[in-house]
Amino acid sequence: MMTRSPYIVFLILLIFFVISFITNIIGPLIPQIIESFDLSLTLVALIPFAFFIAYGVMSIPAGMLLLKFKEKHLIVLAFIVIFFGAILLALLPSYLTALFSFFIIGCGMAVLQVVINPLLRVTGGEEHFAMYAVFAQLVFGFASFLSPLVYTQLASETFFATEHSFLHTLSTFLSPQELPWIFLYFLFSVISLFMILILIFSKFPKVELKSNEKSGALGTHIKLFKNKQIRLFFLGMICYVGAEQGIANWISQFLNVYHGIDPKILGAATISDFWGLMTLGGIIGLILLKIFDSRWVLITFSGLAMICLILALFGPAEIALICFPLTGLFLSVMYPILFSLTLNSFADHHGSISGILVTGIIGGAILPLIIGWFGDAVGLRSAMCFLIFPLAFIVSIGFWAKPLITNKKLSWFYKES
């Protein structure tokens, strides 16, 4: 029976790219969505809320579905869901449609996130899983970097504003003149159809989950969630994703409001730099984790992220354009370290614990909404200062986490006492 499959590994990496490419266009679009539908900060914040709350709704059910249905069927179903979400917004653009569409797309993304990691372990080989997992994160980061740049190009003179260009003609035909960004969701629907066709004609291996990778019943999740330490790690994941999305989603609007920077060009480019430096930070983090204890890397990087955020919020435009992307560099290590610290703190039930942690992605719904709500009341700058609190909590994790297994370090840098 086939298990190893370089083709399926490539396909999984492509799925990681698509997930990131579609997800991380939200931040650059925020100013355009505000303008298009005449929204307050609170109302526009409900759009990323609708997207990320879907992770809270679907992550644990997706893990349980994975025990009953084949991976290929679930991945195809996820892309069908994403297609309908994208085409709905493209054909019927409105604020309410956007809320519903983003929720539907988020549900599809949650299923993909749950399914593809165990599939990557089997098709790439257990002995290569760590390497492929890191490479997948690099692909994810590259797509995050590329997505705002594609939006910038589509919004530039070269494309939409050039009367006789192919994309100008196509976008004018497909999307309302006052809503040119809707063209992106036609693009996403085409990408989803393309992925569905590829998947249908692809042969998938049978995945045998290890006992500690299987997602337990709902009762198991509830029992685990009663553990105080799991709740704290879950809160840490909410804080991380909330801080990441809270910064990325509001960078462009902040630069526009306080420094008069065009959100379609330099604002989107700054978000691209944020994701690009996050990818670079992931590589740096891999090196540092071979030298230092992961808890101290987490403490140091979280502290530096707080400093860069403060400088970005209160410094001049030149400092903001540097320090906002630098927060991405320092946020980069948080997700893998939080995941490893959590799983390494417990001897079993890793599948169910992973499902709980992935549910923590709802932080990307909660914190941007809080910022939008505060932003309407006290201004966006003061509201974004709220992000200092989740970053401070992540710093605290480095002090109280007591993993059963610590990260393995290179012997010539570190000797066990």
Side-chain angles (χ1 to χ4, degrees):
M1 181 177 293
M2 179 184 71
T3 53
R4 307 293 187 264
S5 173
Y7 168 72
I8 297 297
V9 169
F10 170 79
L11 191 57
I12 293 169
L13 294 176
L14 182 60
I15 292 171
F16 271 109
F17 183 93
V18 173
I19 290 172
S20 178
F21 189 82
I22 296 177
T23 298
N24 292 311
I25 199 66
I26 297 175
L29 287 179
I30 289 292
Q32 287 297 294
I33 295 173
I34 291 174
E35 181 181 339
S36 298
F37 301 131
D38 191 24
L39 304 176
S40 66
L41 298 182
T42 303
L43 288 177
V44 78
L46 286 173
I47 287 180
F49 177 88
F51 181 88
F52 283 99
I53 202 67
Y55 280 86
V57 172
M58 282 303 301
S59 292
I60 291 176
M64 292 187 284
L65 286 173
L66 189 55
L67 298 177
K68 296 184 178 182
F69 298 97
K70 292 182 178 180
E71 288 75 14
K72 178 178 177 177
H73 296 160
L74 286 178
I75 295 174
V76 170
L77 177 62
F79 274 110
I80 291 173
V81 169
I82 293 168
F83 167 77
F84 278 109
I87 200 67
L88 178 64
L89 180 57
L91 295 176
L92 300 170
S94 71
Y95 173 65
L96 291 178
T97 302
L99 290 177
F100 186 56
S101 296
F102 274 71
F103 177 77
I104 293 174
I105 294 171
C107 286
M109 294 296 186
V111 173
L112 289 177
Q113 291 272 22
V114 171
V115 174
I116 59 179
N117 281 293
L119 186 60
L120 182 60
R121 177 184 62 80
V122 170
T123 55
E126 292 183 25
E127 67 276 17
H128 302 301
F129 180 54
M131 179 190 70
Y132 282 128
V134 170
F135 195 65
Q137 289 303 309
L138 294 179
V139 170
F140 191 93
F142 176 70
S144 302
F145 168 77
L146 189 63
S147 185
L149 293 182
V150 171
Y151 167 68
T152 297
Q153 289 300 313
L154 290 175
S156 70
E157 295 288 330
T158 308
F159 288 90
F160 280 156
T162 303
E163 184 177 354
H164 300 293
S165 73
F166 169 74
L167 282 177
H168 175 272
T169 304
L170 185 62
S171 65
T172 301
F173 175 74
L174 292 175
S175 55
Q177 185 175 0
E178 67 277 11
L179 302 173
W181 57 271
I182 288 294
F183 178 66
L184 286 167
Y185 286 86
F186 280 107
L187 176 63
F188 296 157
S189 64
V190 171
I191 291 172
S192 299
L193 280 178
F194 176 73
M195 293 301 299
I196 290 168
L197 290 174
I198 291 178
L199 289 161
I200 287 174
F201 292 103
S202 297
K203 185 178 180 181
F204 277 59
K206 182 179 180 181
V207 177
E208 295 290 346
L209 294 177
K210 295 180 179 180
S211 59
N212 68 344
E213 290 178 323
K214 293 181 179 179
S215 181
L218 182 60
T220 303
H221 290 87
I222 294 173
K223 182 179 178 181
L224 286 169
F225 201 71
K226 292 179 180 179
N227 183 300
K228 179 181 178 181
Q229 196 172 23
I230 288 179
R231 292 199 303 271
L232 288 173
F233 279 121
F234 172 72
L235 179 58
M237 189 60 70
I238 288 177
C239 287
Y240 161 68
V241 181
E244 174 200 279
Q245 293 298 319
I247 294 170
N249 286 350
W250 293 110
I251 285 175
S252 190
Q253 182 67 10
F254 179 91
L255 293 175
N256 184 32
V257 170
Y258 293 100
H259 300 297
I261 291 173
D262 186 350
K264 296 179 183 177
I265 309 300
L266 190 52
T270 304
I271 297 174
S272 176
D273 291 341
F274 172 89
W275 293 115
L277 284 180
M278 181 172 282
T279 305
L280 176 62
I283 299 172
I284 295 172
L286 284 174
I287 298 171
L288 292 176
L289 288 173
K290 288 297 182 181
I291 305 173
F292 304 105
D293 189 296
S294 63
R295 289 167 291 185
W296 286 109
V297 175
L298 183 66
I299 291 167
T300 303
F301 271 50
S302 302
L304 290 171
M306 292 169 65
I307 292 171
C308 285
L309 178 59
I310 292 170
L311 290 173
L313 293 176
F314 294 98
E318 296 78 10
I319 296 296
L321 290 172
I322 295 171
C323 287
F324 271 131
L326 280 176
T327 58
L329 179 72
F330 297 122
L331 288 169
S332 61
V333 302
M334 295 182 188
Y335 185 87
I337 291 179
L338 284 173
F339 229 98
S340 64
L341 282 177
T342 307
L343 296 184
N344 287 340
S345 296
F346 299 91
D348 50 21
H349 295 299
H350 289 173
S352 296
I353 293 171
S354 295
I356 291 172
L357 284 181
V358 171
T359 306
I361 292 176
I362 61 171
I366 297 169
L367 268 68
L369 180 61
I370 291 173
I371 293 170
W373 182 59
F374 279 156
D376 282 331
V378 298
L380 186 56
R381 174 180 279 135
S382 298
M384 289 185 73
C385 289
F386 176 79
L387 293 172
I388 298 298
F389 294 104
L391 290 174
F393 180 77
I394 294 172
V395 170
S396 77
I397 294 175
F399 289 103
W400 55 255
K402 305 295 182 186
L404 302 175
I405 303 170
T406 58
N407 55 300
K408 185 176 181 180
K409 297 170 280 293
L410 294 173
S411 58
W412 56 82
F413 282 109
Y414 179 86
K415 294 182 179 180
E416 295 289 349
S417 58

